[in-house]
Amino acid sequence: MTDTPISPIEAVNAAINSHNPFINAGIVKEQDVWGKGVPDVPTLNAHASNQVFKAIEFVRKSQSSQDKVTSIAITAQQGVGKTHLLSRIRHELEKVGCALFVYAGGNNYTDLNFVKYQFQQTLADSLSKTGSQEVMQWQEVAAAMVNEVKTDNSSTPAELVKKFDQACANTFAKNKNLMNSLQKEVLKTKPNADPYILRAILWTLSETQAPFAIKWLSGEELAQLNAEELGLPNPSKTNQDREAEALKNIQQILNLVSYYNSIIICFDEIDVQNNSTEDGFPTETVIANFVKILHDTLENSALSQGVVILTVMLPQTWRDKVNSLLNGTPDRISKFTQRKPLDLKYVNGDSMVELVTVWLQEYYNLKNLIPPYPLYPFEETQLREYGKVNKPSVREALQWCADNFKVEEEQLPSDPFERFELAFKRESEADIGDYLEDSDLIADALYFGFETLKSQTLEGVIIEEITKDVKPKAYHIKHYINFKIIGNEKGEEVKIGVAVIQSPQVKLTAGLKWLIDYQKYDLTRGCLVRSQSRIEQIKKNSEAYRLLNELISEKGGENVDLIEEQIRPLIAILAIYNKRQNYQLTEEQIFDIISKHNITFDNLLLREILSNPSGNMPSLDDEDKGIIFDAFDFSGTSETDESDDLSEL
């Protein structure tokens, strides 16, 4: 860094004034576990991550089937770095490939009466994430199965995925069936495996059939055509049926998958207060009991690569609730550390300097800037003193950085409108990451936009009130309706619930269930804000499609397309409002400028939310696009030439 010319201080200061990387940095989400992750200080709580990797090595190398399943409890207060630690473990596994990773966050369990079925869905979803070999974790396992029975040289998972569909087509041209042959050969080595689960895992190698195979592995029902193509049973089931069968399916999947690679299962934030069972048991009790069941029922042989179960909670949850459970539950939850949870540590002077260093290194690299020194604008003595005296959590340390990440104020124009213009240009050009993935930011920007329009008439609606207090809230940690617009249209009261959902389809389904329940949430109209590219991913036979159709066709609601050019200005003015002290603007000046120049009044996205719904469903991609294996004969092949079919791979 010293050999490279230092960037002009004006450019560095301008970057600091326009983008604070520490804002909300202490909040680590599930997407950080699976995605790029957050800057990491490997020495911070290294004692915990080191123990986890020791546990993985222990179950993998142990010659005793009794030691093939172990567990660790991890405790820490809010913000100390529990999910951050899991993100570190996940990304290290992605590099070294010594185990498959399953993540079950506290918000995965929306109905504790179906905890086993919901974990089966979580298991299927986690294994569909990219692993250490640049393919899905499911595909790593399927490739290991294929290579185990192939007579010629083994192929990498990526190579098998690339040629699998063509190999199926080639064997079909010879009046043979590659999948039947594969299934039969693998079953010879795994006679106790469920043949349908084994078959579904093998199908994940097919780029066209993998989504349907994974859906089936999660316990969901397929369209009959897809089930027939895959050769999988597809009976109609209630959620109660799925819950009753889920544990057996989970055991079969874990026992089969762990033969080929170790598995680490992470139950994060088990003390999140989602709800309780019909019997009144809270989340932490239900998850703790489920971990015990997993520990006691997984039938791992000495040949297995083993399973490690991590359970993450607050210290008081362990002390007051989990540790007092009966029937040996605490021993099953903290087996590897002999009923002694790993407690995460707070930040000290040294780790405070390391933490800020890694965050600023990434920040300046992204900006293509070289600061005067690595910790600029902080001083090392300042950071050490703060860490030593306050001993903050990671979240508190990063919040302190957010509050103090600033340089001397620049000379701004004297005219408020010119200051606003400068701020708007700066915030519009600021690098705020992949903001179209951030549903909360988008919702906040829309909320603020409507706040500036109170008492005005837009699209025939007199806007009277904007509220985030959408009741009832009991038992819910996730509120899918971001806010409600209350107004008057032609003498009639309107209450429009707005839900921004840019996340995966499982959350879309949950959000739509909120939006269509007008009576429960006191609405006259539901409005889903979701980009067209994501709407097009909805399949016509899915639960999400049914709910969206009910919202639009039956309930008079709508889906509003999230268009980047329409939301970006709203995010910019929200940023100006949040940084109004930096820009030397008052709240009154900001609202006055926005009103005089019709910045929100003319915004097409805000207008579309208020306009009368068309009643038309958005266009969806045809779910049957792509290669359909309708010519496959699933009746089997002859005994004599099945193994020859594998040569296609």
Side-chain angles (χ1 to χ4, degrees):
M1 204 168 180
T2 55
D3 296 333
T4 307
I6 294 174
S7 301
I9 194 63
E10 294 82 9
V12 176
N13 288 347
I16 292 172
N17 284 328
S18 66
H19 177 212
N20 187 333
F22 297 103
I23 291 178
N24 296 325
I27 302 173
V28 182
K29 304 174 184 176
E30 181 173 344
Q31 66 194 48
D32 297 311
V33 174
W34 290 114
K36 177 177 175 290
V38 293
D40 183 36
V41 179
T43 57
L44 185 59
N45 289 312
H47 70 288
S49 51
N50 289 344
Q51 279 289 86
V52 171
F53 287 106
K54 285 180 182 177
I56 295 172
E57 185 177 15
F58 174 76
V59 297
R60 186 172 65 249
K61 292 184 175 180
S62 175
Q63 301 300 307
S64 169
S65 60
Q66 299 297 316
D67 292 331
K68 287 298 180 178
V69 180
T70 195
S71 58
I72 295 174
I74 296 174
T75 60
Q77 294 293 350
Q78 294 284 0
V80 173
K82 299 184 293 292
T83 307
H84 193 132
L85 179 77
L86 298 183
S87 176
R88 174 192 301 167
I89 293 167
R90 148 69 183 162
H91 288 91
E92 183 64 22
L93 291 177
E94 191 175 22
K95 288 189 288 185
V96 301
C98 63
L100 304 178
F101 187 85
V102 176
Y103 179 81
N107 292 329
N108 289 64
Y109 303 99
T110 54
D111 190 337
L112 293 175
N113 296 298
F114 301 109
V115 68
K116 299 180 186 70
Y117 171 47
Q118 289 179 334
F119 180 73
Q120 183 180 347
Q121 293 180 304
T122 296
L123 177 61
D125 179 65
S126 289
L127 293 179
S128 70
K129 307 295 186 185
T130 302
S132 63
Q133 301 184 57
E134 299 182 348
V135 296
M136 289 188 292
Q137 296 185 108
W138 279 122
Q139 292 169 333
E140 291 183 16
V141 176
M145 291 180 178
V146 172
N147 283 324
E148 190 176 32
V149 299
K150 280 182 65 178
T151 56
D152 57 350
N153 294 331
S154 63
S155 303
T156 67
E159 289 170 343
L160 282 174
V161 170
K162 186 176 181 180
K163 61 185 178 182
F164 192 83
D165 283 339
Q166 186 59 50
C168 287
N170 290 347
T171 55
F172 168 71
K174 300 175 185 176
N175 200 28
K176 301 174 183 178
N177 188 307
L178 175 62
M179 181 53 68
N180 286 352
S181 302
L182 273 175
Q183 182 184 19
K184 184 170 183 177
E185 291 300 312
V186 177
L187 277 172
K188 290 178 183 178
T189 67
K190 304 290 177 296
N192 295 325
D194 182 294
Y196 293 118
I197 287 177
L198 186 149
R199 185 183 185 93
I201 294 175
L202 288 171
W203 268 124
T204 63
L205 289 170
S206 166
E207 291 182 305
T208 55
Q209 302 289 21
F212 304 107
I214 293 168
K215 184 175 182 180
W216 186 89
L217 286 164
S218 75
E220 293 188 51
E221 188 176 344
L222 299 179
Q224 192 56 36
L225 174 64
N226 298 128
E228 291 172 359
E229 288 167 356
L230 297 176
L232 297 172
N234 193 45
S236 294
K237 299 175 184 176
T238 65
N239 280 349
Q240 286 77 11
D241 295 332
R242 295 187 175 99
E243 176 69 8
E245 297 176 4
L247 183 60
K248 175 176 65 69
N249 294 332
I250 292 164
Q251 291 166 343
Q252 282 282 342
I253 291 171
L254 292 177
N255 288 335
L256 182 57
V257 170
S258 65
Y259 178 86
Y260 297 97
N261 204 348
S262 304
I263 306 171
I264 180 165
I265 303 171
C266 305
F267 291 95
D268 192 11
E269 296 182 312
I270 70 164
D271 25 32
V272 166
Q273 297 302 309
N274 282 343
N275 49 31
S276 61
T277 64
E278 292 176 353
D279 298 327
F281 292 111
T283 308
E284 58 269 18
T285 301
V286 174
I287 300 301
N289 182 59
F290 181 57
V291 171
K292 177 184 181 294
I293 292 172
L294 280 181
H295 176 278
D296 291 347
T297 58
L298 288 177
E299 300 172 1
N300 276 287
S301 71
L303 298 176
S304 167
Q305 301 297 304
V307 177
V308 177
I309 305 173
L310 303 184
T311 313
V312 182
M313 66 196 83
L314 298 171
Q316 56 267 35
T317 300
W318 170 266
R319 182 186 66 238
D320 301 336
K321 297 180 180 180
V322 175
N323 197 34
S324 61
L325 293 175
L326 303 177
N327 302 318
T329 299
D331 299 287
R332 268 65 161 205
I333 290 178
S334 189
K335 179 180 179 179
F336 189 70
T337 52
Q338 300 175 335
R339 201 167 173 167
K340 296 177 182 177
L342 299 177
D343 193 37
L344 302 190
K345 309 300 181 186
Y346 287 87
V347 174
N348 59 26
D350 290 338
S351 55
M352 182 69 185
V353 173
E354 292 179 81
L355 183 67
V356 176
T357 299
V358 296
W359 274 87
L360 287 179
Q361 183 179 38
E362 179 170 297
Y363 173 76
Y364 287 124
N365 285 343
L366 287 172
K367 299 291 186 182
N368 292 316
L369 293 171
I370 308 297
Y373 52 91
L375 291 171
Y376 184 82
F378 302 110
E379 297 291 342
E380 182 173 337
T381 54
Q382 173 192 26
L383 297 174
R384 287 192 183 280
E385 182 68 15
Y386 173 76
K388 179 181 178 181
V389 172
N390 294 279
K391 294 182 173 54
S393 67
V394 173
R395 185 175 301 167
E396 289 168 340
L398 292 172
Q399 183 58 52
W400 180 90
C401 291
D403 295 338
N404 292 277
F405 188 70
K406 51 193 172 185
V407 290
E408 290 185 12
E409 291 185 358
E410 59 183 316
Q411 283 297 113
L412 296 173
S414 58
D415 180 67
F417 177 69
E418 291 180 5
R419 291 200 297 275
F420 185 92
E421 270 191 319
L422 174 67
F424 188 80
K425 181 176 186 299
R426 184 175 287 171
E427 296 300 337
S428 297
E429 296 173 354
D431 178 8
I432 54 174
D434 195 359
Y435 61 89
L436 290 179
E437 301 286 336
D438 194 336
S439 300
D440 292 336
L441 174 62
I442 293 165
D444 287 343
L446 292 173
Y447 179 87
F448 179 72
F450 282 115
E451 275 284 311
T452 68
L453 294 169
K454 282 169 69 170
S455 302
Q456 297 188 52
T457 302
L458 195 64
E459 296 295 321
V461 177
I462 302 172
I463 301 171
E464 297 174 348
E465 184 183 354
I466 320 295
T467 178
K468 293 183 179 180
D469 188 25
V470 182
K471 296 181 178 179
K473 291 185 176 180
Y475 306 123
H476 289 286
I477 190 69
K478 175 68 177 177
H479 308 299
Y480 291 100
I481 300 177
N482 299 103
F483 59 89
K484 185 192 302 185
I485 305 166
I486 301 172
N488 191 289
E489 184 177 26
K490 297 179 181 178
E492 298 286 334
E493 186 178 42
V494 293
K495 297 177 181 179
I496 304 172
V498 179
V500 180
I501 306 177
Q502 286 287 94
S503 359
Q505 190 155 324
V506 61
K507 296 181 181 178
L508 171 62
T509 304
L512 284 169
K513 288 179 180 178
W514 277 52
L515 273 181
I516 63 174
D517 200 338
Y518 287 7
Q519 182 176 1
K520 185 174 184 179
Y521 299 106
D522 190 23
L523 305 176
T524 61
R525 187 197 308 171
C527 177
L528 170 68
V529 179
R530 187 175 175 92
S531 61
Q532 179 63 26
S533 62
R534 283 169 170 77
I535 288 291
E536 289 174 351
Q537 296 170 8
I538 301 174
K539 300 300 181 183
K540 288 188 177 179
N541 63 349
S542 67
E543 176 73 357
Y545 179 85
R546 184 190 70 77
L547 293 169
L548 183 62
N549 185 60
E550 181 177 346
L551 173 69
I552 293 174
S553 303
E554 300 176 24
K555 298 282 190 176
E558 64 178 332
N559 171 72
V560 171
D561 183 13
L562 180 66
I563 299 174
E564 185 172 2
E565 291 77 12
Q566 296 173 5
I567 188 61
R568 190 66 179 89
L570 300 180
I571 293 175
I573 62 172
L574 173 63
I576 294 171
Y577 179 79
N578 289 337
K579 302 176 187 176
R580 57 190 180 277
Q581 289 184 331
N582 293 349
Y583 291 120
Q584 299 173 24
L585 290 165
T586 65
E587 179 176 333
E588 183 181 358
Q589 288 170 334
I590 292 172
F591 274 66
D592 185 55
I593 291 169
I594 289 172
S595 177
K596 283 183 178 178
H597 295 272
N598 291 334
I599 296 173
T600 51
F601 188 85
D602 290 338
N603 185 272
L604 296 180
L605 181 55
L606 300 180
R607 283 184 169 273
E608 185 63 25
I609 291 172
L610 288 178
S611 66
N612 285 324
S614 66
N616 298 323
M617 283 285 286
S619 60
L620 307 180
D621 276 356
D622 188 338
E623 65 176 342
D624 294 328
K625 286 181 180 178
I627 301 173
I628 298 298
F629 288 47
D630 54 352
F632 260 48
D633 175 14
F634 290 98
S635 59
T637 58
S638 66
E639 288 286 332
T640 56
D641 53 9
E642 281 172 338
S643 60
D644 294 337
D645 298 344
L646 306 189
S647 63
E648 292 291 344
L649 292 170

